[in-house]
Amino acid sequence: MTRIVPWLAIALLAGAPASARDIATPSATGHAGRLLATGGASSIEGSAGGGIVPWAVIAGYGTEEQWGGAAFATRVDSGDYTLTSRGIALGWRNRVEIGLARQDFGLATLADALGLPTRHFRQDIAHAKLRLAGDLVYGPWPQLSLGLQHKRQRDFLVPSLVGAVDDSGNDVYLAATKLFLGGAGGRHLLLNGVLRSSNANQTGLLGFGGDARRGRSLLGEASVAVLLDPRWAVGVEYRQKPDNLGFAREHDWKDVFVAWFPNKRVAVVAAYADLGAIATLDRQEAWYVSLQLSH
């Protein structure tokens, strides 16, 4: 299979344009005030946003006077590896987000080939996000949020043997997100950029820091999505990765996704992701499916 490139998503952007008022119809906004799809989906680490990249948005559909929240389950399968991630997030007054997620990383192919003592790595993640300024839809400036993800790898024996230094670590990121109504030929365009400080190996599933690089790296991430109508979106994501372990290179991630928001309670995301090499196994291209229930 050819490797995924961001331009693949452009081919998906077909269909009738949506006017700027389409996203703000009563069925799209409901009674809570926030527009449909503006809560995003859930990332594999639990923060509101895309599948592999967080956004500046706050989980759920709560307004400045309300609580909101989301629960999610995600499955990623490359054939050699699997990842199951589940979690919850709460949003307060469209200002603060807190949440918990648990990941289970299956490595059956590698475990069988090398005779490893485990076929799974588990990780727990607690996260918080604070909206600093701006607004996703209204006003000239993007929504700007500061996020923290505290991660703890629960099966550290194998990562420690291949060079990982710590079994826990913190990712800190700054996200800027803006939805431009009618900004892509009459369709609504979402742009998202993230700067992340991290020393996590494969997002922490292989521990933190390493024999090749122990310190933190400043990493860039980005998302672009087009809403074909209030309920359907297509887009691409890119996530830069550190390279801390000498035994195996760590490659940047990218994906192409389709998201469906039938109402404010449900979101379904399907993606095809290019994950590069993971722990010596090359060309890890995976299917990704995520279900989110929101309030």
Side-chain angles (χ1 to χ4, degrees):
M1 296 181 180
T2 58
R3 296 170 69 85
I4 300 298
V5 295
W7 297 109
L8 236 60
I10 304 301
L12 297 174
L13 306 184
S19 69
R21 65 179 179 273
D22 288 340
I23 197 170
T25 60
S27 61
T29 60
H31 300 288
R34 288 178 62 183
L35 305 180
L36 184 63
T38 57
S42 295
S43 72
I44 57 172
E45 293 151 311
S47 304
I52 61 175
V53 177
W55 299 352
V57 301
I58 301 301
Y61 287 95
T63 67
E64 294 182 359
E65 303 299 326
Q66 299 173 325
W67 285 87
F72 79 97
T74 295
R75 177 75 170 181
V76 185
D77 191 338
S78 73
D80 293 317
Y81 298 106
T82 61
L83 175 67
T84 301
S85 184
R86 301 181 180 90
I88 59 172
L90 294 176
W92 180 66
R93 296 195 170 201
N94 198 22
R95 178 67 59 179
V96 177
E97 174 184 317
I98 57 173
L100 298 170
R102 171 163 290 181
Q103 297 177 327
D104 188 311
F105 179 60
L107 57 159
T109 299
L110 198 64
D112 291 343
L114 301 181
L116 299 180
T118 181
R119 298 167 68 88
H120 293 267
F121 293 158
R122 297 166 297 167
Q123 180 168 235
D124 293 332
I125 303 172
H127 81 265
K129 186 191 298 182
L130 173 65
R131 177 183 171 192
L132 300 175
D135 189 88
L136 178 67
V137 180
Y138 307 107
W141 302 106
Q143 185 161 318
L144 189 68
S145 294
L146 180 66
L148 170 67
Q149 296 171 339
H150 175 70
K151 304 176 179 181
R152 177 174 172 266
Q153 212 275 2
R154 300 175 62 199
D155 304 285
F156 190 57
L157 174 61
V158 174
S160 69
L161 294 176
V162 298
V165 176
D166 295 312
D167 66 354
S168 64
N170 298 308
D171 283 11
V172 180
Y173 66 87
L174 185 67
T177 313
K178 189 65 177 174
L179 180 66
F180 298 92
L181 300 182
R187 303 179 181 93
H188 310 308
L189 173 67
L190 182 138
L191 300 179
N192 175 68
V194 176
L195 281 178
R196 180 188 299 260
S197 173
S198 176
N199 67 339
N201 309 318
Q202 299 296 352
T203 73
L205 292 163
L206 294 183
F208 301 83
D211 53 336
R213 179 181 175 86
R214 186 182 184 119
R216 305 179 71 84
S217 299
L218 187 62
L219 308 165
E221 305 173 13
S223 312
V224 179
V226 174
L227 278 74
L228 302 181
D229 64 28
R231 291 173 174 80
W232 287 93
V234 296
V236 295
E237 298 179 288
Y238 175 84
R239 178 166 177 169
Q240 195 175 18
K241 307 287 290 307
D243 200 11
N244 301 326
L245 298 175
F247 90 102
R249 293 291 309 275
E250 184 167 348
H251 293 154
D252 298 346
W253 287 356
K254 38 197 171 291
D255 71 28
V256 176
F257 68 85
V258 177
W260 179 45
F261 301 90
N263 52 55
K264 287 191 174 184
R265 296 290 181 258
V266 178
V268 181
V269 180
Y272 194 67
D274 178 0
L275 307 177
I278 298 178
T280 73
L281 299 183
D282 293 331
R283 300 184 62 81
Q284 296 301 306
E285 297 173 342
W287 289 104
Y288 170 110
V289 178
S290 182
L291 171 66
Q292 175 182 278
L293 303 179
S294 303
H295 173 71

